[in-house]
Amino acid sequence: MKNENLKFVPHPADKLAHYAKAAVDIEFNFPFGWGELEGIHNRSDFDLSQHIKFSGKKLEYFDEQTKERFVPFVIETSAGASRGFMAFLCNAYDEDEAPTADGKIRKAHSSAFSPKAGAYQMCRVPACKQRRLAGDIA
């Protein structure tokens, strides 16, 4: 992703849920404007503390080095596959101008995906000696 197409948007303290310590949205600059790709929320120890309170189960973590017990914080993340895929498509899209055979200029459209994001080509071939079963693969 191009850095100029991404931004981190922290939630203001007065907009956080009562149990949240922090929240940040990762947004992408789509052709139709900025939109959320992922939300990351620090839910503090609220979820586990409530579970402990109502279930009576111990969910504390014991740190061997400090010999302390504590209830861990929950970090919640939410990212949509369709939003992410759309962002990768938009990020790869490129427009340029190119001359035509008759000397006019036209817009040329392309997608410049990173080779790391590309699919691998493969072929599954049966292991056999008989050419008629394996086809013309040599």
Side-chain angles (χ1 to χ4, degrees), residues 10-130:
H11 292 208
D14 63 334
K15 300 290 183 194
L16 294 174
H18 69 281
Y19 52 78
K21 299 244 341 138
V24 175
D25 290 334
I26 300 173
E27 294 188 357
F28 181 81
N29 190 13
F30 291 99
F32 46 82
W34 288 95
E36 183 183 331
L37 274 183
E38 181 176 4
I40 304 168
H41 303 267
N42 180 342
R43 297 177 57 92
S44 71
D45 63 358
F46 179 80
D47 297 319
L48 294 177
S49 294
Q50 291 299 300
H51 189 74
I52 291 167
K53 180 178 173 182
F54 292 104
S55 72
K57 305 238 185 230
K58 280 183 110 178
L59 297 174
E60 296 172 333
Y61 174 80
F62 181 70
D63 186 337
E64 290 287 340
Q65 290 180 323
T66 64
K67 306 296 185 210
E68 293 178 321
R69 291 187 180 279
F70 62 92
V71 177
F73 280 18
V74 172
I75 306 298
E76 174 190 22
T77 181
S78 174
S82 59
R83 293 180 273 185
F85 183 70
M86 179 70 169
F88 278 109
L89 284 177
C90 292
N91 192 69
Y93 179 79
D94 194 24
E95 273 186 359
D96 203 359
E97 292 184 347
T100 61
D102 59 357
K104 295 181 182 175
I105 301 294
R106 70 171 180 86
K107 283 195 175 185
H109 307 276
S110 64
S111 292
F113 284 101
S114 165
K116 293 177 184 175
Y120 290 92
Q121 290 185 356
M122 63 172 277
C123 177
R124 183 170 173 257
V125 183
C128 66
K129 293 182 180 181
Q130 296 179 1

